[in-house]
Amino acid sequence: MNATIRKLKLLYCLLFPTLLAAQFTTKEIPLLSGEKWYGGRTADAHLMPFEAGYSADLRRSDGGSVQPILLSNKGRYVYAAKPFQLALTDSTLELTTRTHETVNMARSGKTLASAQEFVGHYLLERKREFPDSAWFSGPVYVLRPPYSQEKLLTFAAAIVEKNLPPGLISIADGWQAGHGDWKFDAANFPAPAAMINRLHDLGFQLQLAVSPFISIPEKQRLDEINSTPPLLLNPNRPAEAKIIEHEGREFHLIDFSHPAGKAFLRNALDKLVAEDGVDGFHFAHGDFEHFDFVISHRKNLPAWSLSNRYADLARLDRPDRISADFGRGGKVVVRSLPVTLTDWEQLPRLLATVSTVGLYGFPIFCVPAIVRSDTFDAELYIRHVQLQSLLPILTLSEEILLLDKDQLAAIRGVLSRRAVTSNLFSMQRSAIVANFPPVCLPTYHYPTEGMDEIRNIYLLNSNIMFAPVLQQGRNSRRVKFPPGSWRLLPTGDVFEGSKETEVVLPLRSGMFFSRMQDK
């Protein structure tokens, strides 16, 4: 008997790799001369266009959104209904799918813009609504923990005192009684309704972060009152709820494939809106990886589908945003970008990210605030704000209160230029509704001008270009101009296109250029 078991185990070990390989099919697509590829995961947007050696598995979100679409600067595009794996070599694009699934490639025109136009028209979700106006009527102010009623009111009063515009105050985990107990922590927020009323009086709105988690202590409390929502189960022990570790703590996960799971969180949030006056929510921690290897109420749902069911709770009629979703490119919900900003090295990554994610269906996003270090770098803070000058949403962190009078003047310059160029944002809205990227790399508008490798500027359209300073201690930078004559606003300096020029851009200057009309 033991000998038979050993033989079966040996046979399994020999056959398992073959059986596993048989579940997947790889398609090798020869690259065209000079071909560059974009798309897939927002977590990899800073790497676009991809270089040889890049690979990704679209079943993983790594903190961001995923669209199973790739776009080429030669007009080709790849699309699928489900996640696939991709790998780029010097000569091929390799696409791997499960054997019963398909991934397709086609061509529309010969440029990145022609491919994107086709994809936007036929393959991305068509828009019928637009996010709540609170996202665009003022800045998003990101505050860091610890949180208290006094801290929020003091911050709002200080913003008003400094003659800065009110906006949407966004706070992360730490405001609540517990994960799963979505009420204000009474110790730190003794009168949340009165606090929010005061914020509203000052012109602010409040957004709270929530999660798909139920903490271990909270589950025990909910069990005692028979109010535990449906939880995702452990496939190794199907009678037990799955436990995941996140940031050093253990949590259960709500099963959003069960109607009662969605209702549990939705009802808690509706109560915060109705009783306390909360304006919106950030549906954080929706990473696909959290939902891996679970048993759900609705059978055989992949992790990305469970993540989508969590994201579905976000609403467009209030300032909600999500952290991750799959295959919903074109759906105009505000998304968080999975970029961590700690120092100057990450600033170019942010620029590359904001100028590419709109290509494959993620046009409206909330730029992350700078992670505060031991020493505050005012210059980095200002350059980070300036980078957002022509983006639909402007994010400011609480460190704005650390700026001196001259430094604040640079921030006010960005705010005033955004107000003056409000017509540009109406243009952006029109572009977004039509599934065009609101901002993009120069190669999108100038495909034959050798701009494929330029990733340190972005364009609003073919006539408005933005060139931020990305290096510490610099008051100038090299700018490669597309064809034509370009006027720096607001100084009026003119630069000839089709060449690279050193441009002086002091800390308080504008950084966008308008293409002059040909005479």
Side-chain angles (χ1 to χ4, degrees):
M1 183 69 176
N2 289 337
T4 301
I5 292 175
R6 284 196 298 271
K7 287 180 181 179
L8 289 173
K9 286 183 176 179
L10 177 61
L11 183 63
Y12 177 81
C13 292
L14 291 173
L15 291 179
F16 181 73
T18 302
L19 293 172
L20 187 63
Q23 296 178 16
F24 293 89
T25 301
T26 297
K27 181 187 297 185
E28 293 189 358
I29 301 172
L31 296 180
L32 304 178
S33 177
E35 189 167 32
K36 308 287 185 181
W37 286 92
Y38 306 77
R41 310 188 324 159
T42 58
D44 296 337
H46 65 285
L47 300 173
M48 300 175 196
F50 302 126
E51 297 180 355
Y54 170 79
S55 63
D57 186 341
L58 301 192
R59 293 172 299 182
R60 294 184 56 86
S61 62
D62 284 346
S65 294
V66 179
Q67 183 68 17
I69 284 177
L70 304 176
L71 301 166
S72 152
N73 65 335
K74 300 299 180 181
R76 299 202 291 181
Y77 56 92
V78 169
Y79 63 100
K82 295 183 178 179
F84 55 86
Q85 299 170 50
L86 65 142
L88 200 63
T89 71
D90 289 326
S91 58
T92 61
L93 172 65
E94 298 176 358
L95 305 172
T96 301
T97 61
R98 292 189 179 276
T99 303
H100 63 281
E101 297 172 355
T102 59
V103 60
N104 306 286
M105 192 190 74
R107 190 170 189 174
S108 178
K110 297 182 179 181
T111 66
L112 177 63
S114 63
Q116 196 281 327
E117 182 176 358
F118 182 92
V119 166
H121 189 75
Y122 293 104
L123 300 179
L124 296 180
E125 186 171 328
R126 304 297 289 178
K127 302 164 187 61
R128 295 177 178 84
E129 297 179 88
F130 213 69
D132 189 87
S133 61
W135 286 110
F136 315 104
S137 58
V140 176
Y141 291 103
V142 177
L143 272 61
R144 311 186 195 285
Y147 301 118
S148 69
Q149 183 169 313
E150 181 182 3
K151 178 176 180 175
L152 268 62
L153 291 175
T154 300
F155 174 81
I159 290 295
V160 172
E161 183 181 349
K162 290 182 178 293
N163 199 28
L164 291 167
L168 178 66
I169 295 177
S170 179
I171 63 176
D173 293 343
W175 61 270
Q176 74 274 23
H179 283 274
D181 188 6
W182 300 109
K183 301 189 295 288
F184 280 96
D185 180 3
N188 293 318
F189 295 91
M195 174 193 73
I196 295 173
N197 279 336
R198 178 56 181 156
L199 291 176
H200 289 169
D201 290 342
L202 293 172
F204 292 87
Q205 295 193 41
L206 181 63
Q207 180 190 77
L208 307 177
V210 296
S211 77
F213 304 148
I214 299 287
S215 67
I216 306 297
E218 183 57 21
K219 179 183 181 298
Q220 295 171 351
R221 187 188 72 84
L222 291 169
D223 285 345
E224 292 173 359
I225 59 175
N226 199 29
S227 298
T228 305
L231 302 176
L232 295 171
L233 303 178
N234 186 338
N236 296 322
R237 295 185 293 277
E240 299 179 11
K242 177 75 176 283
I243 295 176
I244 67 164
E245 185 174 314
H246 178 70
E247 296 180 350
R249 298 174 60 194
E250 291 184 332
F251 297 98
H252 298 294
L253 290 159
I254 299 173
D255 184 352
F256 293 107
S257 76
H258 194 298
K262 278 193 171 182
F264 175 83
L265 184 54
R266 182 189 297 114
N267 292 341
L269 304 188
D270 288 347
K271 190 173 182 180
L272 283 164
V273 172
E275 295 185 2
D276 295 325
V278 174
D279 298 287
F281 301 94
H282 174 199
F283 293 84
H285 310 303
D287 312 36
F288 304 171
E289 292 81 355
H290 292 325
F291 300 95
D292 261 340
F293 308 113
V294 298
I295 297 175
S296 57
H297 169 72
R298 186 171 176 183
K299 303 301 181 186
N300 302 317
L301 286 182
W304 55 266
S305 181
L306 291 168
S307 176
N308 277 3
R309 281 164 167 75
Y310 171 52
D312 283 341
L313 291 169
R315 294 170 50 165
L316 291 179
D317 61 351
R318 66 188 184 200
D320 286 358
R321 63 172 158 140
I322 64 174
S323 58
D325 62 341
F326 174 84
R328 305 193 309 168
K331 184 178 179 64
V332 185
V333 59
V334 177
R335 294 172 172 88
S336 300
L337 289 183
V339 181
T340 300
L341 289 169
T342 57
D343 53 40
W344 285 89
E345 290 184 3
Q346 270 107 29
L347 209 54
R349 290 182 55 170
L350 176 60
L351 176 59
T353 297
V354 302
S355 56
T356 52
V357 292
L359 290 171
Y360 48 107
F362 306 119
I364 302 182
F365 42 80
C366 198
V367 169
I370 297 174
V371 176
R372 186 173 179 179
S373 60
D374 294 336
T375 57
F376 175 60
D377 188 338
E379 183 188 5
L380 175 60
Y381 187 96
I382 293 169
R383 293 304 193 192
H384 170 256
V385 174
Q386 290 173 334
L387 186 150
Q388 304 175 64
S389 291
L390 296 183
L391 300 183
I393 297 172
L394 176 68
T395 303
L396 302 172
S397 67
E398 63 184 64
E399 284 77 17
I400 192 169
L401 299 181
L402 300 179
L403 300 178
D404 64 27
K405 182 179 179 180
D406 290 338
Q407 294 161 347
L408 270 177
I411 303 299
R412 288 196 181 94
V414 172
L415 295 169
S416 63
R417 283 188 289 274
R418 285 173 66 89
V420 168
T421 57
S422 58
N423 62 312
L424 299 181
F425 295 104
S426 64
M427 292 164 49
Q428 282 186 321
R429 178 173 178 138
S430 298
I432 290 168
V433 168
N435 273 334
F436 292 115
V439 296
C440 56
L441 294 168
T443 188
Y444 182 88
H445 292 290
Y446 297 96
T448 62
E449 305 299 329
M451 307 292 285
D452 282 340
E453 302 300 328
I454 305 301
R455 294 190 286 179
N456 59 5
I457 59 177
Y458 66 73
L459 281 82
L460 180 68
N461 53 40
S462 60
N463 296 317
I464 303 291
M465 183 179 73
F466 187 73
V469 174
L470 304 173
Q471 292 178 298
Q472 186 175 17
R474 295 288 302 272
N475 282 321
S476 66
R477 59 158 290 176
R478 305 282 299 173
V479 177
K480 183 170 182 178
F481 289 92
S485 298
W486 295 83
R487 187 188 305 277
L488 174 62
L489 302 176
T491 66
D493 297 337
V494 176
F495 300 87
E496 292 305 314
S498 300
K499 63 181 180 181
E500 192 172 38
T501 306
E502 186 77 14
V503 180
V504 176
L505 297 168
L507 202 58
R508 291 181 59 175
S509 74
M511 295 180 188
F512 59 95
F513 301 80
S514 174
R515 190 171 186 267
M516 300 171 65
Q517 298 298 316
D518 296 330
K519 295 181 180 180

